[in-house]
Structure formats: C-alpha cells, structure tokens
Amino acid sequence: MNLSGVLFFPVTPFDAGGALAEEVLAEHVRRGMEHGPGGVFAACGTGEFSALSESEHARAVRVATEVVAGRVPVFAGAGGPLGAALNQARAAREAGADGLLLMPPYLAQGPGHGFEAYVRAVAEVLPVIIYQRGSVVLEPEAAVALAGLPGVIGLKDGVGDIDRMQRIVLAVRESYPDFLFFNGLPTAELTMPAYRGLGVELYSSAVFAFAPEIALAYLNGEERLLTEFYAPLVRLRGKVPGYPVSLVKAGVRLRGLDVGAVRPPLVEVSGEHLEELEALIKTGLERVAS
C-alpha cells in the first residue's frame, strides 16, 4: 500500500438538525485533496467514528471515495463489536475503500489469540491497519503474530510508549520489513522527531483537516512551528477531554466551512478556547507565509 506524506483525517460534518451533511463532507474532502495528502482516512477518530450509525458510516465512506476517485488510498474506520466491524468493513469495500483502520473492540476483552481472531475476521474483508490504543496495547511477540495475519498491513500507535514501540518495530521488521507503522498520537507532529528515531515516518495529521498549509510546512521542514504552533495547540488540547476532535472541527469552521457541531459525549469548544485556537491558526499561517 503506497502511503506517504501527510495523511488526511477529515471530520464528519453534521447539519443544523444533527444529520450527516454529505455535500459539506464532499467539499471538505475536495479542499483537502487540493493540498495533496498521501491518503484519506474517512469516518475514523477525527471523523467521530464512535458517534456514527452504520448507515452514516457507510455514506461518509462512499462520499470520500467518490471525491478522491482513486487518486490516493482511502481507508475507513471499523471496530467495536465484531458484527458491527464486519458490517462497516463490507460497506467500505462496496464503497471502493482500499483498507480499514481497525479500532479496538469495546468492553469485551479476551486473551491475545481472541484478539487475533477478531483481527483475522475483519482483515478477510479489506486490508487492516490495527490501531493500538485503549484496550489494545501489544507486546512485541503479539505484534509479530498480528503482522503475520493475511491482510494486516500496518500498526498505528496511539499509546506513545517509545520503549514499547521501538521493541515492536524491531521485532516486526525482522520478519516483515515492509510492514507499515504510524504515529497515531493526537497532534502527532509534536512527537514525530521521536518516532522518526524509531524508523516510523508515517503519521496522522489532525491539523491538515483545518490548516493544511501548516501541516505541509511542518512536513517540509519548518520546525519553528513546533514551538510557535504545535506545542501551544497541545496545551490547549489538554484542557478538556475530547478536544482532540472538538478543536479540529472548530478549526474547520474557523477556516470557513460549516461542518456543524460535535456529537455527545464530546462538547463544543468554549468561547475562550475558540479565541485561543483562532489566534494559534493565525500565528501558524503567518509563520508559513514568512
């Protein structure tokens, strides 16, 4: 799977009545594609995956694949109960998606071979990138076993344990040198210097969804953005649970596209924090233009 550069995780727009706003989603993806992302991940964490019905998920993925039209790979979120994950996977396949970002199953937890069976079942439908976060925290031996399953092509790390990730990367690449690894932490740019030291070059960029100019400038070597934009953004993100998504959606609105509100249990960005976000975006864009 050819993935490179900045990976685009679009938000999922809702209209004033709370319904999926498909035309706004199409415009959001179109605007992102103008900046040349290396892949599009629809209806994933930033896209409020856990708040979407199966039918909304299927429609969101179809909109994304239609707009992208084969120019870059499209991945869809999948996960939760096995039946729901399989339905999401089949709908994504029918929509023309290239693969899945597999979220952890919820509530029910079994031993390692039980999780392997879960992953194997979904990977029979479409290629899978496993998302390590929440209940899924792997030891190197387990990561190697999962990397050997047919259809499993990558691991996205949302834990941030550098020692663990180094051991996983070394163990997996010994047997599967082409296996993909991703930095999946919120505001991943801030930790990319550490992940690059592990040999992990791919990362999800939430910032690309609302300020692709800033995301691309960082990718192209503008490291002053780390202190002037990304570090303050991380401090703002940490003020309220759920802000890793709420701030992104607010940022898209600030840049002129009305993508609506977030769904509960997420909450909207407060007025004070919205002003901080607006000032940060202004600072980042000024740095890019200078």
Side-chain angles (χ1 to χ4, degrees), residues 167-217:
R167 290 184 289 116
I168 287 174
V169 170
L170 291 173
V172 170
R173 285 191 171 154
E174 186 174 355
S175 299
Y176 306 102
D178 296 327
F179 195 76
L180 301 173
F181 288 99
F182 304 76
N183 175 358
L185 293 176
T187 320
E189 286 90 343
L190 194 65
T191 53
M192 275 312 295
Y195 276 81
R196 288 193 180 103
L198 307 180
V200 177
E201 294 291 338
L202 294 169
Y203 62 97
S204 54
S205 177
V207 170
F208 187 90
F210 65 90
E213 307 94 330
I214 296 173
L216 290 172

Side-chain angles (χ1 to χ4, degrees), residues 1-273:
M1 188 75 64
N2 184 22
L3 288 167
S4 61
V6 177
L7 305 179
F8 175 26
F9 284 67
V11 303
T12 300
F14 304 119
D15 63 22
L20 179 68
E22 295 185 32
E23 292 185 3
V24 180
L25 175 58
E27 178 62 19
H28 179 41
V29 176
R30 272 194 294 271
R31 292 185 184 187
M33 288 300 297
E34 291 175 357
H35 294 271
V40 175
F41 286 68
C44 293
T46 304
E48 297 181 77
F49 165 80
S50 62
L52 301 177
S53 68
E54 287 184 16
S55 63
E56 289 173 328
H57 172 277
R59 284 156 45 210
V61 174
R62 185 171 294 278
V63 168
T65 58
E66 289 176 351
V67 173
V68 172
R71 288 174 285 175
V72 297
V74 175
F75 280 73
L82 180 58
L86 290 171
N87 286 342
Q88 292 153 355
R90 292 172 186 135
R93 181 179 62 191
E94 291 173 6
D98 299 283
L100 305 167
L101 178 60
L102 186 59
M103 312 290 184
Y106 302 126
L107 295 180
Q109 294 186 37
H113 62 274
F115 182 63
E116 284 185 34
Y118 176 89
V119 173
R120 182 184 295 109
V122 179
E124 288 177 355
V125 183
L126 275 177
V128 159
I129 297 167
I130 297 168
Y131 200 171
Q132 175 172 249
R133 61 178 294 182
S135 62
V136 176
V137 181
L138 304 172
E139 293 297 331
E141 297 79 7
V144 171
L146 290 166
L149 295 177
V152 177
I153 64 171
L155 175 69
K156 179 181 179 183
D157 179 47
V159 175
D161 183 333
I162 295 298
D163 175 82
R164 181 186 301 272
M165 271 303 292
Q166 181 68 91
R167 290 184 289 116
I168 287 174
V169 170
L170 291 173
V172 170
R173 285 191 171 154
E174 186 174 355
S175 299
Y176 306 102
D178 296 327
F179 195 76
L180 301 173
F181 288 99
F182 304 76
N183 175 358
L185 293 176
T187 320
E189 286 90 343
L190 194 65
T191 53
M192 275 312 295
Y195 276 81
R196 288 193 180 103
L198 307 180
V200 177
E201 294 291 338
L202 294 169
Y203 62 97
S204 54
S205 177
V207 170
F208 187 90
F210 65 90
E213 307 94 330
I214 296 173
L216 290 172
Y218 169 77
L219 180 69
N220 292 326
E222 182 49 88
E223 294 192 356
R224 288 176 295 180
L225 287 166
L226 288 177
T227 55
E228 297 177 15
F229 174 79
Y230 285 105
L233 181 63
V234 167
R235 288 195 292 272
L236 178 58
R237 188 196 73 207
K239 292 183 177 180
V240 177
Y243 264 17
V245 175
S246 301
L247 285 172
V248 176
K249 211 161 195 182
V252 178
R253 293 195 302 267
L254 286 171
R255 297 302 304 280
L257 186 63
D258 185 2
V259 290
V262 292
R263 283 180 172 172
L266 300 180
V267 298
E268 286 301 300
V269 176
S270 71
E272 176 187 356
H273 294 160

